[in-house]
Amino acid sequence: VTCIRDLKVRGAPLIGIAAALSLAQLAEQGATVPEIVEAASRLREARPTAVNLMAAVDRVVLKHRQDLTAQGIVARAEALFAEDVALCSGIAKHGSSLLADGDHVLTHCNTGGLATVGSGTALAVIAEAARAGKCIHVFVDETRPLLQGARLTAWELSKLEVPFTLICDNMAAFLMKQGKVQKVLVGCDRIACNGDFANKVGTYGLAVAAKYHRIPFYVAAPWTTVDLNCRSGEEIPIEERGPEEVRAGQSPRECAVYNPAFDVTPAELVTGFIFDRGVVAPRLIQEFLAGLG
Amino acid sequence: VTCIRDLKVRGAPLIGIAAALSLAQLAEQGATVPEIVEAASRLREARPTAVNLMAAVDRVVLKHRQDLTAQGIVARAEALFAEDVALCSGIAKHGSSLLADGDHVLTHCNTGGLATVGSGTALAVIAEAARAGKCIHVFVDETRPLLQGARLTAWELSKLEVPFTLICDNMAAFLMKQGKVQKVLVGCDRIACNGDFANKVGTYGLAVAAKYHRIPFYVAAPWTTVDLNCRSGEEIPIEERGPEEVRAGQSPRECAVYNPAFDVTPAELVTGFIFDRGVVAPRLIQEFLAGLG
């Protein structure tokens, strides 16, 4: 729980699988059924915005109260683990065809192999396009306050040998104005039934700027990021984190800070969702979701 | 020159006056005319975007080649110094009537007494409205990469006892979406004849988001920030600074960085310019400028 809350494990899909595997480990260590259920309930509450955590805990433990043997829990956790790899591959395959040779793609936060078990979501799309021989340049938002872009995405792109340029979040709109960005590609933490979605704070501003500059804006996610219980973005709880993440060394001590970790972007600003099963326009999201049910 | 280039002195109006006073000091110390002209030329080039620096050097030295006595230079530098105080008061007076009791105002970078000799530009407007008894709450963009908002504006607002909340730049659009921002108010480094203007990077993205949310967007500046030699924003040179300002501790060493210190916002995104002589709508900027000539 502490690892998830303190972001030692982060990235919506990875959080879910980490929770599943820790429940499997607990079961193997001989925990009783009430202990497992209590651990599952606590894990479920560790972070409020990404739906993958709740979904994973439910799929591994809470929806299987009749089978909470160690064997059953471990099997379901391992299935979830394997599934993530396949989901990432599907996203990469469907998304990469959207990227053209020579594209400059802007991304936010971290959505690569460090955020999932597999190859990632938005970053997997970019990696797959590059692997297919397309020349892609990535603009990496540093992603304040915790700098997941500057720390994690920049590191992953270096390893993948995909060329990139690091920018401050507040430079993205100016890059768009200069015609330097052909596509915006982000991951996501929860998608509501109407296509509104939550992602790392800063995503909404990017979506507004992309709309203003008529730049396609894509959201890459496994279908497990959809929350069928959530009608619209207004129902997605937004995690607010502590002020110390934002305050600079020379800020006045105790100064008030607003630090939402996520924001919600309405469906009308999305060009397409890149799911593991294919690319879906926001106006068709309802039909796509009906197919999941 | 080093102080200006390394931002030990920063803020468009203050840079101009610091340059003027350092030329006055040089003249008083008995520098020859060629030495003064050379120093003036070097100061003029120290930073490319804010026009106040060039204008101040020209007014104190370069446009008065027939009178480069120490007495003349000192008198002109002192006049510039006194003028700044008056310009700030004028801006504060005209701008404060635009703010309503209860407004939440979003600002970017630092535009207070630390950026001018007088009380500032955008921040002077806020301070004046608060002094007049209006209840104003300020959202302070931290202003990456150099955190002028988190370091300087937050400190000034604390001293002024105006309530404020510090945010990351990438949270501004989400605040607007939630209806928490009634006005955006920024300073500026250079205004072209058509009303396009340059200001700290991030301003353009704020202007786009304000337009999308139909939130009034005001630019506060002394008339000396207008560059009559500059027809449009495209002619404003944008200073690019070093990558080390952006790279985080854990970013890959040597990773490529794009670090423009400023961006250019087109006139059509501006609701009004708050000048020391009054508030001017962008469609009337040409007539206002004709009055200056």
Side-chain angles (χ1 to χ4, degrees), chain B residues 107-130:
Chain B
T107 192
H108 192 66
C109 200
N110 176 256
T111 59
L114 295 173
T116 61
V117 174
S119 54
T121 57
L123 215 56
V125 169
I126 291 166
E128 179 62 28

Side-chain angles (χ1 to χ4, degrees), chain A residues 108 142-145 147 150-151 154-155 158 164-171 173-175 177-178 180 201-202 204-205 208-209 212-213 238 246-248 250-252 255-260 262-266 268-269, chain B residues 108 142-145 147 150-151 154-155 158 164-171 173-175 177-178 180 201-202 204-205 208-209 212-213 238 246-248 250-252 255-260 262-266 268-269:
Chain A
H108 192 66
E142 62 175 0
T143 316
R144 283 282 293 154
L147 301 171
R151 293 186 292 117
W155 183 84
S158 299
F164 69 94
T165 303
L166 179 64
I167 61 167
C168 296
D169 304 318
N170 65 18
M171 297 167 186
F174 188 49
L175 276 178
K177 178 169 178 248
Q178 295 172 82
K180 291 181 177 169
V201 71
Y204 174 66
V208 167
Y212 185 78
H213 296 93
I238 296 297
V246 176
R247 281 186 201 134
Q250 290 161 275
S251 302
C255 83
V257 169
Y258 175 58
N259 183 19
F262 303 91
D263 58 25
V264 173
T265 301
E268 69 248 32
L269 297 179
Chain B
H108 192 66
E142 62 174 1
T143 317
R144 282 283 293 158
L147 302 171
R151 294 185 292 118
W155 183 85
S158 300
F164 69 95
T165 303
L166 180 64
I167 61 167
C168 296
D169 305 315
N170 65 18
M171 298 167 185
F174 188 49
L175 276 177
K177 179 171 179 245
Q178 295 171 83
K180 290 180 177 171
V201 71
Y204 174 65
V208 167
Y212 185 79
H213 296 93
I238 296 296
V246 175
R247 281 186 201 132
Q250 291 161 275
S251 302
C255 84
V257 169
Y258 175 58
N259 183 19
F262 303 91
D263 58 25
V264 174
T265 301
E268 68 249 32
L269 297 179

